[in-house]
């Protein structure tokens, strides 16, 4: 039997299919939206725990100080004056090189071709590192193998043309807060070989670690101290876990003690062996005596019978 649909039934069927299609589309959009929200949340959480950019910023700021391996200090006013000047000037030079890629925007001395570094740039570098309230008196200073001249007329430092300065490069490995201070753990990577003959460009393993301490002031963190770090180089940690080698005198004492123990043991063993051998040696003699006594008794018995 053939079934016919009225126009109203056709209309209802079309409307039902349209609603189903719309519902499927909405479900797909909701699913896509949920996935997008979840991915955005994961990225946000990852950014909250990812301090790579922050560590890189501190690495750039501290490069100048790490170059010259300053001794620990408490309070920026207690840092060695020469170390601070070296760090300020060369830290500024490295910062310009990192951010601008070249020194094309800076003038050079027409006679010596030395780079002219304005003191205002050094002040800006220091203000970012130790705070705007700190002021350094600019003047010429002597380094180990060169002189950094300050021109009062131009208010510029004359930077000699050189391949490299300093003994270490910085790598920030950890950031953490303790007692209200931000600890920036910095690994010191040697830039030269142990004999200072050639640049050590192959190794990127720190040979020691230091914690640079920052205090928060007016919403920013500024350097306030330097201390030894709890983080130790891999070689030092491995050596600490191994037993300490014996001194030569201790080795000789141990050998003599072992020889003395061996002698005493030999002396104690000798009487024991003698005592053990005495019964064995006397046993044949006892047997012989018993045999002679038996023979004598036999002879006496024979004589008695004959009588």
């Amino acid at each position: 039997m053939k079934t016919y649909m009225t126009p109203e039934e056709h209309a209802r069927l079309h409307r039902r299919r349209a609603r189903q299609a719309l519902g499927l589309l909405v479900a797909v959009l909701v699913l896509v939206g949920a996935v997008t929200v979840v991915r955005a949340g994961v990225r946000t959480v990852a950014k909250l725990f990812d301090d790579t950019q922050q560590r890189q910023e501190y690495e750039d700021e501290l490069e100048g100080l790490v170059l010259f391996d300053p001794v620990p200090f408490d309070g920026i006013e207690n840092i060695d004056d020469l170390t601070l000047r070296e760090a300020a000037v060369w830290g500024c030079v490295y910062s310009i090189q990192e951010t601008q890629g070249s020194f094309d925007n800076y003038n050079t001395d027409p006679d010596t071709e030395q780079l002219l570094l304005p003191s205002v740039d050094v002040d800006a570098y220091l203000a970012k590192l130790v705070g705007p309230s700190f002021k350094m008196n600019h003047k010429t200073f002597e380094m180990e193998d060169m002189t950094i001249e300050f021109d009062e007329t131009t208010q510029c430092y004359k930077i000699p043309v050189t391949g490299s300065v300093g003994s270490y490069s910085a790598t920030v490995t950890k950031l953490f807060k303790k007692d209200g201070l931000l600890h920036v753990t910095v690994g010191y990577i040697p830039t030269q070989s142990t004999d200072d003959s050639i640049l050590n460009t192959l190794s990127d393993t720190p040979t020691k670690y230091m914690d640079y301490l920052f205090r928060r002031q007016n919403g920013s963190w500024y350097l306030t101290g330097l201390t030894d770090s709890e983080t130790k180089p891999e070689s030092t940690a491995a050596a600490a876990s191994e037993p300490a080698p014996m001194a030569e005198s201790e080795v000789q004492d141990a050998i003599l003690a072992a020889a003395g123990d061996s002698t005493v043991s030999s002396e104690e063993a000798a009487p024991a062996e003698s005592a053990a051998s005495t019964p064995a040696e006397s046993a044949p003699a006892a047997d012989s005596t018993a045999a002679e006594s038996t023979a004598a008794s036999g002879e006496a018995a024979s004589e008695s019978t004959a009588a």
Side-chain angles (χ1 to χ4, degrees):
M1 181 178 177
K2 211 167 184 181
T3 302
Y4 293 96
M5 297 181 66
T6 64
E8 291 80 5
E9 291 175 336
H10 274 291
R12 278 199 304 271
L13 181 60
H14 285 300
R15 287 196 297 270
R16 185 183 301 116
R17 290 177 177 174
R19 287 194 299 269
Q20 291 173 345
L22 180 60
L24 178 61
L25 178 61
V26 171
V28 171
L29 292 177
V30 169
L31 180 60
V32 172
V35 172
T36 302
V37 170
V38 170
R39 292 180 62 184
V42 170
R43 285 196 298 267
T44 302
V45 173
K47 287 181 179 179
L48 290 176
F49 290 95
D50 184 12
D51 59 357
T52 302
Q53 182 176 355
Q54 191 176 10
R55 286 191 287 112
Q56 184 61 51
E57 291 175 357
Y58 281 110
E59 193 171 296
D60 294 339
E61 288 183 17
L62 295 171
E63 187 72 44
L65 276 171
V66 175
L67 281 171
F68 302 101
D69 190 17
V71 297
F73 61 89
D74 183 14
I76 196 64
E77 68 278 359
N78 296 321
I79 190 173
D80 178 71
D81 181 73
L82 176 59
T83 300
L84 181 61
R85 293 183 184 280
E86 292 174 331
V89 171
W90 289 105
C92 183
V93 170
Y94 277 81
S95 177
I96 294 171
Q97 190 173 14
E98 288 291 329
T99 56
Q100 302 183 23
S102 66
F103 300 96
D104 295 340
N105 297 327
Y106 290 82
N107 296 325
T108 57
D109 185 277
D111 298 326
T112 63
E113 297 185 353
Q114 293 177 328
L115 174 69
L116 298 179
L117 182 65
S119 59
V120 292
D121 286 15
V122 178
D123 288 334
Y125 173 81
L126 278 177
K128 186 178 180 182
L129 179 62
V130 300
S133 60
F134 184 84
K135 302 297 180 184
M136 187 174 72
N137 180 28
H138 298 287
K139 62 180 182 180
T140 299
F141 60 91
E142 296 284 340
M143 294 180 60
E144 184 178 352
D145 54 356
M146 69 182 74
T147 299
I148 305 299
E149 181 182 352
F150 180 71
D151 191 336
E152 294 286 350
T153 303
T154 61
Q155 289 292 298
C156 289
Y157 286 97
K158 295 182 178 181
I159 308 301
V161 179
T162 180
S164 64
V165 294
S167 303
Y168 297 94
S169 64
T171 177
V172 175
T173 60
K174 184 168 55 176
L175 304 175
F176 65 96
K177 294 179 182 178
K178 182 180 179 181
D179 300 330
L181 299 176
L182 174 64
H183 290 239
V184 180
T185 302
V186 179
Y188 284 56
I189 301 176
T191 57
Q192 294 182 338
S193 60
T194 54
D195 58 0
D196 294 332
S197 58
I198 58 174
L199 288 178
N200 181 19
T201 58
L202 299 179
S203 176
D204 57 354
T205 303
T207 56
K208 72 172 186 175
Y209 292 86
M210 300 291 287
D211 279 2
Y212 286 80
L213 310 180
F214 287 76
R215 188 182 301 277
R216 193 175 183 85
Q217 300 177 9
N218 300 325
S220 300
W221 294 93
Y222 297 113
L223 181 65
T224 186
L226 172 65
T227 185
D228 294 327
S229 176
E230 295 180 355
T231 305
K232 302 301 178 184
E234 295 179 0
S235 57
T236 303
S241 63
E242 296 178 356
M246 296 178 63
E248 184 177 354
S249 58
E250 294 177 346
V251 174
Q252 293 177 353
D253 292 342
I255 293 174
L256 293 175
D261 292 343
S262 176
T263 303
V264 171
S265 299
S266 299
E267 292 175 352
E268 291 177 350
E273 291 177 357
S274 176
S277 62
T278 300
E281 292 173 353
S282 61
D287 293 342
S288 175
T289 303
E292 292 176 355
S293 176
T294 303
S297 298
E299 291 176 355
S302 298
E303 292 175 354
S304 173
T305 302

